[in-house]
Amino acid sequence: MQIQSENRCFGGRQLVLEHPSMATGTPMRLAVFLPPAAQAGRVPVLYWLSGLTCTEENFTVKAGAQRLAAELGLMIVAPDTSPRGDGVPDDRDGAYDFGLGAGFYVDATESPWSTHYRMRSYVEDELPALIADGFPADPDRSAISGHSMGGHGALTMGLRNPGRYRSVSAFAPIVSPLNCPWGEKALGGYLGPDRGRWREYDACALIEDGARVPELLIDQGSADDFLDGQLKPALLETACEQAGIPLTLRMQPGYDHSYFFIASFIDDHLRWHGERLHA
Amino acid sequence: MQIQSENRCFGGRQLVLEHPSMATGTPMRLAVFLPPAAQAGRVPVLYWLSGLTCTEENFTVKAGAQRLAAELGLMIVAPDTSPRGDGVPDDRDGAYDFGLGAGFYVDATESPWSTHYRMRSYVEDELPALIADGFPADPDRSAISGHSMGGHGALTMGLRNPGRYRSVSAFAPIVSPLNCPWGEKALGGYLGPDRGRWREYDACALIEDGARVPELLIDQGSADDFLDGQLKPALLETACEQAGIPLTLRMQPGYDHSYFFIASFIDDHLRWHGERLHA
């Protein structure tokens, strides 16, 4: 892991790092916030997965999470949203919703994507091992959250790995890629036309197929332009209700899909994760 | 004033606006945060002046100020750092420290800058009138702060206009353009070689020449790359001491010149201004 930048922040350290990834076969960048408590011992870790077009930077500079993370003693790990660099293919039209910046947290099976687009393996397996190895992280106290495409990533990783994350939350997540244009484009492209193979990357389908988490916290803005066409939280409500998963879905009146929405409610999520991670 | 964007944020409204400016003869952009209390009546206003290379956006998305501003009922007004657009000249080499993004909060007297580079008149006179006219602002309760070049702007505007701002603070300000390379380049370019005419744009010189404010709060990172070569807070310490101006200069160990530094201490400044604005 090479340090690209380091800034003192709320008494802790905000790092941007780069390392060669086995999973993606490319250099990968990530942001790590180390709270002051990390100087004295191992601390719990919150993984944050970002949305379409984002890098490791967006959450780090826009969410305002470090203040309370420092207070609560939480490490925050925010990876990039796709492999990048020479030889990494992009959407043929350069669209924002496929290819670079849009890895969708899957292991692609279709050519030419399958060589580098392996964000599932990267975030699920390689990254936690690197963090446990290189930082004072307590791997037994991990949580995961994310926004939009990253909310989809957080939900599906939480559901596929029971016990791995003590708590799972999301902001304006894509709850069912099987049932929205972003998901159909991404999963169709990365995984091919067999929709049965998409189910392990669809939070609602995972729940229907038996996956469980203890509970979920989701915030969703009512003025989000993508609410009805892409995000469809009612699908997750139904799936959770049928499966008996306690879901706290908070519709936030007037809020949109931006980081101003995330910043407004990130403290609630940090406290919620903190209670579970410090329990 | 045309609204370019509007986002709900901490129960208030984060606006980006554009308007034709009489002072600069160009369209000017600014960011305005309206706290929830602005729905019920007039609220105090904190003007924030940004540093070199910034626009109205940097403070708005990176400082994390809206959370506490919402709680304290403070409006925040963050203008751009220079005129922009067709016909606005830039540094001949495109340098970051002169021309676009580097207006230095002066009224230029030298050609070709004097036509549009009139940020002093814009921020001191035109902007407060527009804010008082278009928003539920209480002009009798105004404060000013800023970062680096914007800290210079805040200090000099506060010193030149006794009583206009109830409180003046700064982060890592340029305290004496007469005594640093950034200042020599900018004031020499905008105002010409007569250094006597620079003194009304130099916080230390203004104090030496008799200008006063009731008190000052300044935060400065000890690991700021510009500390010794450009910022030189000791010059302001000396000036304040000789003039009897109470200066709280907080050296923050390990902090640099970035927005991570500003975010770490903005709450202290907001509370400090809030106490004086609500007194």
Side-chain angles (χ1 to χ4, degrees):
Chain A
M1 286 245 186
Q2 283 202 318
I3 296 178
Q4 304 291 305
S5 68
E6 171 165 357
N7 300 93
R8 192 149 194 83
C9 185
F10 289 98
R13 297 163 69 200
Q14 180 64 58
L15 304 173
V16 176
L17 304 138
E18 188 172 294
H19 68 94
S21 165
M22 298 288 289
T24 67
T26 65
M28 288 296 295
R29 285 170 74 95
L30 67 149
V32 174
F33 175 69
L34 294 170
Q39 292 166 7
R42 294 195 173 268
V43 294
V45 184
L46 173 67
Y47 290 89
W48 174 269
L49 304 182
S50 292
L52 291 167
T53 76
C54 290
T55 68
E56 80 291 341
E57 190 183 19
N58 302 66
F59 182 78
T60 304
V61 303
K62 291 185 174 181
Q66 293 94 344
R67 185 188 64 88
L68 192 55
E71 186 182 317
L72 298 174
L74 302 179
M75 185 182 310
I76 300 178
V77 176
D80 201 350
T81 56
S82 79
R84 299 179 196 269
D86 293 342
V88 177
D90 193 8
D91 182 88
R92 76 183 68 174
D93 303 315
Y96 74 97
D97 57 1
F98 193 78
L100 299 181
F104 256 85
Y105 306 102
V106 305
D107 282 353
T109 56
E110 302 302 290
S111 176
W113 317 105
S114 53
T115 309
H116 298 298
Y117 283 82
R118 299 179 56 79
M119 290 298 291
R120 172 186 177 169
S121 290
Y122 176 64
V123 176
E124 259 182 36
D125 300 325
E126 185 177 12
L127 187 56
L130 284 166
I131 294 297
D133 204 42
F135 295 97
D138 178 356
D140 293 335
R141 291 185 292 158
S142 298
I144 193 163
S145 187
H147 174 231
S148 196
M149 175 184 75
H152 144 75
L155 294 174
T156 53
M157 292 198 191
L159 286 160
R160 281 196 306 264
N161 297 279
R164 167 85 66 91
Y165 306 102
R166 287 209 192 172
S167 45
V168 181
S169 81
F171 290 75
I174 301 168
V175 304
S176 183
L178 278 156
N179 291 292
C180 72
W182 279 343
E184 299 210 354
K185 179 176 179 182
L187 300 195
Y190 293 130
L191 305 175
D194 178 358
R195 296 169 70 96
R197 290 163 57 199
W198 300 12
R199 295 183 69 81
E200 61 182 326
Y201 296 110
D202 183 297
C204 293
L206 281 163
I207 293 171
E208 287 164 22
D209 296 346
R212 296 290 180 268
V213 285
E215 57 184 326
L216 290 171
L217 170 63
I218 290 177
D219 274 309
Q220 171 64 57
S222 74
D224 187 323
D225 285 338
F226 304 111
L227 176 55
D228 295 332
Q230 304 278 7
L231 306 175
K232 306 184 182 181
L235 295 176
L236 184 65
E237 255 186 323
T238 303
C240 284
E241 199 175 296
Q242 292 178 349
I245 297 174
L247 163 66
T248 303
L249 171 60
R250 309 194 306 182
M251 293 299 294
Q252 302 290 2
Y255 286 86
D256 59 26
H257 202 64
S258 72
Y259 263 89
F260 293 113
F261 158 62
I262 297 173
S264 297
F265 299 103
I266 191 68
D267 281 6
D268 292 349
H269 285 240
L270 292 173
R271 287 192 198 284
W272 187 83
H273 287 290
E275 286 167 11
R276 283 146 185 84
L277 291 167
H278 285 302
Chain B
M1 286 246 187
Q2 282 202 319
I3 295 179
Q4 303 292 304
S5 68
E6 172 166 357
N7 299 94
R8 192 150 194 82
C9 186
F10 288 98
R13 297 163 70 201
Q14 179 63 58
L15 305 172
V16 175
L17 304 136
E18 189 173 295
H19 68 96
S21 165
M22 297 288 288
T24 68
T26 66
M28 287 296 295
R29 286 170 72 95
L30 67 149
V32 174
F33 176 68
L34 295 169
Q39 292 166 5
R42 294 196 173 267
V43 294
V45 184
L46 173 66
Y47 289 89
W48 173 268
L49 304 184
S50 293
L52 291 166
T53 77
C54 289
T55 68
E56 81 290 342
E57 189 184 20
N58 302 65
F59 183 78
T60 305
V61 303
K62 292 184 172 181
Q66 294 94 343
R67 184 187 64 87
L68 192 56
E71 188 182 315
L72 298 174
L74 301 180
M75 185 182 311
I76 299 177
V77 176
D80 200 350
T81 55
S82 79
R84 297 178 198 270
D86 294 342
V88 177
D90 193 8
D91 182 88
R92 76 183 68 175
D93 303 316
Y96 74 97
D97 56 1
F98 192 78
L100 299 182
F104 257 84
Y105 306 103
V106 305
D107 282 353
T109 56
E110 302 303 289
S111 176
W113 316 106
S114 54
T115 310
H116 298 298
Y117 283 82
R118 299 179 55 79
M119 291 298 291
R120 171 185 176 168
S121 290
Y122 176 64
V123 175
E124 260 182 34
D125 300 325
E126 184 176 14
L127 188 57
L130 284 165
I131 294 298
D133 204 43
F135 295 97
D138 178 355
D140 292 334
R141 290 184 293 155
S142 298
I144 193 162
S145 186
H147 175 230
S148 196
M149 175 184 76
H152 145 74
L155 295 173
T156 53
M157 292 198 191
L159 286 160
R160 280 195 308 263
N161 297 279
R164 166 86 66 90
Y165 307 102
R166 287 211 192 171
S167 44
V168 181
S169 81
F171 290 75
I174 301 168
V175 302
S176 182
L178 277 158
N179 290 292
C180 71
W182 279 342
E184 299 210 354
K185 179 176 179 181
L187 300 195
Y190 293 130
L191 305 175
D194 178 359
R195 294 169 72 96
R197 290 164 57 201
W198 301 12
R199 294 184 69 82
E200 60 184 325
Y201 296 111
D202 183 296
C204 292
L206 281 163
I207 293 170
E208 287 164 23
D209 294 347
R212 295 290 180 268
V213 285
E215 56 183 328
L216 291 171
L217 170 63
I218 290 178
D219 274 310
Q220 171 64 58
S222 74
D224 187 323
D225 285 339
F226 304 111
L227 176 54
D228 294 331
Q230 304 278 7
L231 306 175
K232 307 184 183 182
L235 296 177
L236 185 65
E237 255 186 323
T238 302
C240 284
E241 201 176 295
Q242 292 178 350
I245 298 175
L247 163 66
T248 303
L249 171 61
R250 309 193 309 180
M251 292 301 294
Q252 302 290 1
Y255 285 85
D256 59 26
H257 202 64
S258 72
Y259 264 89
F260 293 113
F261 157 61
I262 298 173
S264 297
F265 299 103
I266 191 67
D267 281 5
D268 292 349
H269 285 240
L270 292 173
R271 287 192 199 285
W272 187 82
H273 287 290
E275 284 167 13
R276 284 148 184 81
L277 292 167
H278 285 302

